[in-house]
Amino acid sequence: MGQPEETNLAIAQRLPPALAPLLKAAGEAAAELKLSLYLVGGALRDILLHRPVVDVDLVVEGDAILVAQRMKDSLGGEVTVHSRFGTAKYRRGSLSMDIATARKESYAHPGALPTVSRGTLLEDLARRDFTINAMAAPLSLPHLGLVIDPFSGQSDITRRLIRILHPKSFVDDATRILRALRYEQRLAFHLEDETETFLRRDVGMLSTISGDRIRREMELVLTEEEPELALQRAQELGVLQSIHPHLSGNGWLREKFSQARKETPRNLLASVYLALWLYGMNKNDMETLLRRLKLSGRRATSIVDLQTLRAKRTELSNPYLLPSALCRLLDPLHPAAVAAAIVACDDPIARLNLQKYLRQLRHLRPALNGEALREIGVPPGPIMGQILQGLRQARLDGEVHTREEEEALVCHLLAERTS
Ligand code: ATP
């Protein structure tokens, strides 16, 4: 390990100005407690790369929880404590920072969660994933402005390299394989040669990782600006195949992800990416993968619903499909599956139908709601539901346009039932 390296970087000045009072309070709290405090991980990496800093992680040689509590005493705010890990989150208004006790780790077996104990800053840096994430900047005098860089992360930043810290890194924790590709593609870096060799050698170690952890890393890939780059790289390196033999990240995906960014509402994008990613798989393979990744809820529904839509391609390509029929087809499915089908589908008529549904038809409601119907004299019970449905259909298909026309229709429907 090298010695702290002096730089003339004004690290603190490059942090988001809004965080300045928090960092100052953290520095003072640590000084009062006679503890050393450091900025670590992604924030320091991004400062050195002149990229915007999003999250700030601090490490204390000593008890991080005491530092966070002292910050609260001086600044107010809130502290959430994880005593088991010796970490604390300090929040004030919309700002927050994570403060961790420096720790060392050992792995009982590949893929196991590490056994953690208190350690020095250098031990804390040595447990990290890549050299560019294994640097620290002291936040208190007299070392303010230094970068502690025991693994030559700064040199790797200059050479644009992703490098692991030791040959067993991917064996200890194979989630680092996905992390490596995520950083490589996000930063337009390259895997350092030996790191790539170890990655290819250890790709099978992904089988030692629990479904929850793999899923979390896959979801992180999908939050990147252009996730398709990391997926294509993962395919080239055999990474996807070791998660599932038929999981792919090919050129189709590249084209469709880019299209998805243009056509998909922001709140649905992550689910749309995931559904498109698994679109090429057959039902059995997909079910196996969903089980392996312990995928459930909204995300799993979108994936399964997109497959359902694939089977309805012929109906969706009908240019004369009534809006009410379109809604009957699509209402039971998750909107993210509809958004993904717009991207996956090449038939222009089907695309138009799907777009019309997603943007317009699914939001369309009759002017009369349940309460208004009760006032007209519709009795509560199943008949109320049927009339509401009839009204929506009539609205969708343009048979009624105004509240008065809806009221007339309700009277007509009621009369029909009683005659
Ligand atoms: P991002 O910009 O993606 O948020 P980050 O570096 O802040 O990047 P986090 O996932 O928040 O990433 O992790 C914080 C730090 O913790 C990393 O910089 C890295 O040093 C360390 N770290 C995270 N995951 C691992 C891992 N699996 N193995 C070793 N170190 C890790």
Side-chain angles (χ1 to χ4, degrees), residues 40-43 45-46 55 57 105 107 127-130 133-134 173 175-176 179 182-183 186 213 217 220 224:
V40 291
R45 175 199 71 221
D46 288 339
D55 294 320
D57 288 309
E105 289 181 347
Y107 292 85
R127 72 179 176 84
R128 290 175 183 262
D129 45 7
F130 309 111
N133 287 342
D173 178 356
T175 64
R176 292 172 185 161
R179 294 179 65 84
R182 189 154 63 81
Y183 290 124
R186 181 202 300 174
R213 291 183 67 213
E217 289 299 331
L220 281 176
E224 294 292 317

Side-chain angles (χ1 to χ4, degrees), residues 244-308:
H244 187 286
H246 297 137
L247 185 62
S248 117
N250 57 24
W252 181 84
L253 217 54
R254 195 166 176 155
E255 184 196 317
K256 295 297 177 182
F257 271 35
S258 146
Q259 191 184 331
R261 276 192 291 283
K262 295 186 197 112
E263 298 185 349
T264 304
R266 194 87 217 155
N267 63 324
L268 298 179
L269 190 59
S271 298
V272 166
Y273 278 153
L274 191 61
L276 289 171
W277 189 7
L278 273 52
Y279 186 60
M281 296 180 104
N282 70 34
K283 194 164 177 283
N284 278 347
D285 287 341
M286 203 180 61
E287 282 169 3
T288 313
L289 184 61
L290 293 186
R291 270 198 304 278
R292 160 81 174 110
L293 299 177
K294 297 207 168 60
L295 243 165
S296 59
R298 185 166 65 100
R299 294 274 157 86
T301 310
S302 330
I303 295 165
V304 174
D305 286 354
L306 179 59
Q307 301 285 330
T308 308

Side-chain angles (χ1 to χ4, degrees), residues 151-193:
F151 301 98
S152 306
Q154 290 185 94
S155 151
D156 285 341
I157 282 188
T158 312
R159 291 190 289 160
R160 308 189 80 78
L161 292 176
I162 304 293
R163 184 198 303 268
I164 45 175
L165 307 192
H166 59 87
K168 265 185 71 225
S169 183
F170 293 131
V171 177
D172 284 344
D173 178 356
T175 64
R176 292 172 185 161
I177 292 176
L178 285 162
R179 294 179 65 84
L181 305 186
R182 189 154 63 81
Y183 290 124
E184 185 194 46
Q185 296 306 313
R186 181 202 300 174
L187 303 174
F189 276 33
H190 285 290
L191 293 179
E192 173 273 332
D193 285 349

